[in-house]
Amino acid sequence: MLNRRQLIKHLSSLPLIGGFMGQGFSRMPTTVVPQYRDYFKELGVRTFINAAGTYTAMTGSLLLDEVKDAYQYASNEYVMLDELQDKVGERIASLLRCEAATVTSGAFSAMTLATAGVLTGLDEKKAAQIPHLQGTGMKTEVIMQKAHDIGYAHAIRNCGVDIVYVETRKELEEAINDKTAMMVFINAYNFDGKIQTEEFVKIAKKHNIPTLNDCAADVPPVENLWKYTEMGFGLVCFSGGKGLRGPQSAGLLLGKKDLIAAARLSAPPRGDTVGRGMKVNKEEVLGMLIALETYLAKNHEEEWKRWEGQIAHIGDAIKSIKGVTAKTDVPPVANHVPTLNVSWDTGKVRISGDELKEVLRKGHPSIEVAGGGPDSISITTWMLRPGQERIVATRLQEALSEVAVS
Ligand SMILES: *Cc1c(COP(=O)(O)O)cnc(C)c1O
């Protein structure tokens, strides 16, 4: 027989402790029953410290506690999905100083619904015809700058439109014709294209073409949440599960009342639509609102200082290693947070960026960083849990020192 301490030890080493406990161990002291099962461990799924940033492949961000409470609350009640979207949309619009808003299943889905909306207006029959536009009277072209052509344009093409690529202002104005449904802007690429936000909006207004600005990864700064609708973009979208730390499968579509109403025509619960698969459940709709409220209420300056301190702590831990350079940088638009760019002279530090990533990934605890390549990686701290910067600093220092030529 095992004594109590041995039994506890034995139990905690079992992979499926919850299932085991159910089978006649009801007399076990409650203190050994874990609050929740270690599901990821049971499944053999690796968890890690996220010093990389908000990457979909890494499941984005961690939900705020306030959002978890909202999930818990919403999961116990039924509501009508449209009524919830109406009320949450109104609240978000007033918080973000725009005419209207709706919660989508991510920024990608916001782009699809936005496109569907400008094509259909409030005509349900048209919504059912997307993506087959020929002979329907719907417009068929969306204009985008070449420099903004990232994979996300697929969200727009899902509606059956062709994307017309332009570079200069002249090309843009020449591309506008009676088939033009919308002009799309990817905010993160503002400085890569020849036409920047304000000029883009002005041209669109002159020709009376609706505009969409994809700002998925563009908070912080907080002001971006109203900057672009106020600038005159008809529609603006954000990811819910990046800087806002709401549901990773939610997002925001903000903008003009008529355009938001039209976009919702292609969103669930309406079934015969391009957006039916882009469902957002009530927990996520509410969670998105609560994430936003929490984000708006927080002290952004204090948070920024904390990130800077964490970055400095990690930089300090490695800067004395010969051949290593650690520089802090802040990307101008998207992922606008303090970022530590670590690079090294591979003659003095004998490892590649990709190899270093693998070393950190395979260590205990596992750590993910960004970048990689022949001689560099990059690190952000905004997705860390408090205190994890110390683990990142120690592990990085150890990993680099180990391969440093003395
Ligand atoms: C992340 C991202 C998207 C997609 O956002 P989701 O919320 O994951 O759907 C679209 N555009 C840009 C520029 C992004 O960074």
Side-chain angles (χ1 to χ4, degrees), residues 316-394:
D316 286 348
I318 55 170
K319 69 180 183 204
S320 62
I321 303 169
K322 280 207 184 81
V324 172
T325 313
K327 275 199 191 123
T328 308
D329 173 46
V330 179
V333 197
N335 301 302
H336 178 77
V337 293
T339 303
L340 189 69
N341 291 317
V342 183
S343 57
W344 54 90
D345 170 351
T346 48
K348 293 185 178 137
V349 178
R350 300 190 173 278
I351 194 166
S352 74
D354 290 332
E355 285 163 350
L356 178 61
K357 281 176 90 171
E358 202 54 28
V359 167
L360 295 170
R361 186 173 289 142
K362 291 206 167 124
H364 300 283
S366 179
I367 298 170
E368 289 288 343
V369 298
D375 56 5
S376 66
I377 56 154
S378 72
I379 286 176
T380 64
T381 60
W382 62 324
M383 292 297 128
L384 296 180
R385 297 213 306 257
Q388 288 183 329
E389 71 279 6
R390 290 198 290 275
I391 303 171
V392 174
T394 305

Side-chain angles (χ1 to χ4, degrees), residues 56 105-109 111 150 152 186 188 214 216-217 239-240 242 248 250:
T56 295
S105 68
F108 194 96
S109 119
M111 291 165 83
I150 50 174
Y152 299 113
I186 312 284
D214 170 18
S239 286
K242 290 181 179 167
Q248 169 54 195

